[in-house]
Amino acid sequence: MQMRFLSVPDNVGLARVAIAALAAQAPFSLSDIDEIKVAVSEAVSNAIIHGYKGKPDGWVELTGTLDKLGLTIVIEDFGVGIADIEQARQPSFSSDPERMGLGFVFMESFMHGLHVESTVGKGTRVEMQRFATIQGELSRDAQ
Amino acid sequence: MTIVHTIQGNRILVAIHGDLDLTTAAPLREALDELLDRYREKALVLDLSEVEFIDSSGLGVILGRYRRMGNRTLSLVGVRPSVKAVLELAGITAIISVTDAVKPAVKDQHV
């Protein structure tokens, strides 16, 4: 699934709904999907607030890929980029006192892998993975 | 998002309907600040029973109001499990009183 949308706040909800619909095709629980939605919401919000500094005319690209292991999500913007990724990923690092600086913390906590690439002046690419949980029971003969 | 406020004795009860994210953070912040300024002595209770989603933008509004209120009390009621998971991860449950949503009553089952 691929989407491209403008950097306006209303599209944060659009991205959440789209990724939830995709995740529902895999063996994720409702609780899993809730957590995936939070991670996507944070990444898209970061793109709008930090990548484009709130300007509504930037493009954000969202890609979701389902495979045997689960769901891989890529969120990319073409904005200002992040000068120091390690610092940005620290809890409570935020340029806005009303924000908690927890965006990357939520992404890391709710997903099973987070990779961030960024080039100042060119943009930021966030890749996240969430593994599906498959439960089952082996019969005695199969053990 | 819509919000409905009710004054009950010494508290402002605000029922929020909708997602708390980047889109709704600013209007919610403005509405709550207006109420806090209008009723300067009252505690604030946010009813989140109709909030299915919250992210760090929504949390920022709640934590910002908590800081702004000083000695006044802020509490959250009707918190759904999906919202509570986010509140717990952020550590908000350690500083703000949080009451879970009431589970729907189990209907009588006739065999």
Side-chain angles (χ1 to χ4, degrees):
Chain A
M1 185 270 293
Q2 282 187 307
M3 288 176 69
R4 194 164 191 252
F5 49 84
L6 285 168
S7 54
V8 294
D10 280 346
N11 285 334
V12 178
L14 175 71
R16 275 203 308 272
V17 170
I19 213 70
L22 181 68
Q25 297 174 23
F28 289 114
S29 68
L30 289 177
S31 170
D32 292 341
I33 293 173
D34 282 337
E35 293 180 355
I36 292 167
K37 285 166 66 180
V38 174
V40 167
S41 201
E42 298 297 346
V44 175
S45 295
N46 275 353
I48 294 170
I49 297 166
H50 303 297
Y52 292 115
K53 304 289 184 191
K55 292 179 183 171
D57 57 352
W59 288 106
V60 180
E61 291 184 357
L62 167 65
T63 306
T65 308
L66 284 175
D67 61 23
K68 289 177 184 173
L69 294 177
L71 174 61
T72 301
I73 300 166
V74 176
I75 290 147
E76 189 164 12
D77 71 64
F78 310 94
V80 299
I82 303 170
D84 187 336
I85 293 174
E86 287 309 310
Q87 185 188 34
R89 290 178 67 159
Q90 296 302 310
S92 301
F93 176 79
S94 177
S95 49
D96 181 345
E98 280 278 316
R99 294 186 59 78
M100 300 180 67
L102 287 173
F104 280 120
V105 175
F106 285 167
M107 288 181 240
E108 284 182 332
S109 300
F110 288 146
M111 302 298 278
H112 296 140
L114 174 68
H115 181 69
V116 184
E117 293 175 16
S118 189
T119 304
V120 173
K122 290 194 172 178
T124 301
R125 182 181 187 276
V126 175
E127 181 173 332
M128 304 182 280
Q129 286 180 308
R130 176 81 188 210
F131 299 129
T133 303
I134 301 170
Q135 291 180 319
E137 218 174 82
L138 292 177
S139 71
R140 182 175 293 275
D141 291 342
Q143 285 178 17
Chain B
M1 178 199 65
T2 58
I3 72 168
V4 178
H5 79 271
T6 311
I7 306 302
Q8 291 181 335
N10 62 352
R11 66 180 196 167
I12 314 162
L13 176 64
V14 179
I16 303 170
H17 299 241
D19 292 348
L20 298 188
D21 64 3
L22 184 60
T23 306
T24 53
L28 177 63
R29 182 186 304 120
E30 287 172 18
L32 293 179
D33 283 349
E34 189 180 329
L35 287 169
L36 290 172
D37 288 342
R38 193 187 304 170
Y39 305 102
R40 291 185 173 274
E41 304 299 322
K42 297 188 187 295
L44 179 63
V45 179
L46 300 181
D47 180 351
L48 303 185
S49 54
E50 297 300 325
V51 173
E52 293 186 2
F53 179 87
I54 189 168
D55 65 10
S56 67
S57 297
L59 289 179
V61 176
I62 294 174
L63 194 67
R65 306 295 68 69
Y66 171 78
R67 289 174 175 155
R68 191 175 186 271
M69 289 174 69
N71 293 329
R72 297 157 75 182
T73 306
L74 168 63
S75 52
L76 310 177
V77 299
V79 177
R80 295 176 179 223
S82 59
V83 171
K84 190 170 184 185
V86 176
L87 297 174
E88 285 177 340
L89 187 56
I92 282 191
T93 51
I95 57 172
I96 296 175
S97 166
V98 173
T99 307
D100 294 346
V102 177
K103 290 179 182 173
V106 178
K107 291 179 182 174
D108 290 340
Q109 293 183 351
H110 300 284
V111 178

